[in-house]
Amino acid sequence: MGYRGRFAPSPTGPLHLGNARTALLAWLDARAHGGALVYRVEDLDTPRVVAGSMAQQQQDLRWLGLDWDEGPDVGGPWGPYVQSARLDRYAAALETLRGRGRAFACTCTRKDLQKLASAPHAGEEGPAYPGTCRGRYTDGADARAQAGREPSWRFRVDAGLVEFTDRVLGRCPQDVLRDTGDVVVRRADGLYAYQLAVVVDDLAMGITDVIRAADLVSSTGRQVQLARALGGKPPQYGHVPLLNGPDGARLQKREPRHTLAGLRAAGADPRALVGWLAHSCGVSVRAAPASPADLVEDFELRRVRDAPDWRAFPFRE
Ligand code: GLU
């Protein structure tokens, strides 16, 4: 099968320039490979979803000169392309994991787990889950009966190193059991977790290459394990640097000078923006105005480096 890449934005507000740069790189990599690009809406975290955001994000990416071959607005054979319409797939995946002895019910509360937060090995996402409910209940009904509440469901991760070769970062060995422990795949309130949905969908949609921001690299080891536990082949990953604002601060969705929508409303030229975004990560030598299509011929993902030059940003006040 040929290259299949994807954009997978969460419709939780306007896209900022970092999201735009990641989307540009995903688009360029797909087009440089003559590949297909899928637009998937990751709207499972319902409390964070903002009405109208999906349409706004799509308009802004199109304004920038990006397009996609499959997605909620254009259809395609691998849909639906909105995660909230794919809950039956996540339920089936959880059943598969349970059938293989790879998922278990967990009744630990947030408070139980927070007590461990001062443990010496607590990682960036808090302490690793210590395995409290592994083997504790026979099934969900048993957990409910014993604990008197609805359980969450966790994926029982493998011990030892999982290693993948990232197209930008090179070899990435990760110890998932030590760093995060067993992964929540369905929350006690019934919401399926991002970690499960993203793996199920990348497999179901035949995604071969994932270009996404480097803040997700720490999730990749568990996603590789999940894909394998579901009997699938994980995609190749390329984690691209995050774009920071002045002084290294994170870009803000609330700051119009940081968002595509805000810059567009202020009359920015999308070609100038694309040229700057490509230059800021090493894709092009100069920041000359360009459309995404102009950059395809010379594109190489390995040129991407962590050198955003915010000071040269053409639209900064
Ligand atoms: N939906 C995620 C986000 O917007 C991206 C997930 C992914 O690329 O794996 O941050």
Side-chain angles (χ1 to χ4, degrees), residues 106-234:
C106 171
T107 53
C108 293
T109 61
R110 193 165 296 204
K111 216 165 145 199
D112 294 334
L113 299 174
Q114 267 164 4
K115 280 191 206 135
L116 302 161
S118 53
H121 299 297
E124 63 185 50
E125 292 176 73
Y129 175 73
T132 317
C133 294
R134 268 193 184 198
R136 187 172 180 185
Y137 305 115
T138 51
D139 56 18
D142 183 34
R144 237 168 264 127
Q146 287 199 46
R149 61 174 167 270
E150 193 59 32
S152 62
W153 287 86
R154 287 182 186 264
F155 168 54
R156 184 173 58 72
V157 302
D158 290 316
L161 289 183
V162 55
E163 187 169 297
F164 55 93
T165 303
D166 188 275
R167 292 180 53 208
V168 179
L169 305 172
R171 281 181 54 212
C172 296
Q174 295 185 353
D175 189 332
V176 180
L177 182 64
R178 185 198 64 195
D179 295 341
T180 46
D182 300 323
V183 180
V184 173
V185 287
R186 199 179 102 128
R187 294 173 10 177
D189 62 8
L191 288 187
Y192 288 97
Y194 155 72
Q195 302 288 355
L196 178 70
V198 76
V199 170
V200 169
D201 289 346
D202 284 342
L203 290 178
M205 295 177 178
I207 302 301
T208 61
D209 287 77
V210 170
I211 304 300
R212 62 182 182 185
D215 56 348
L216 287 166
V217 74
S218 61
S219 287
T220 305
R222 57 197 119 146
Q223 293 176 6
V224 167
Q225 285 198 6
L226 258 172
R228 290 184 181 145
L230 289 167
K233 182 173 178 285

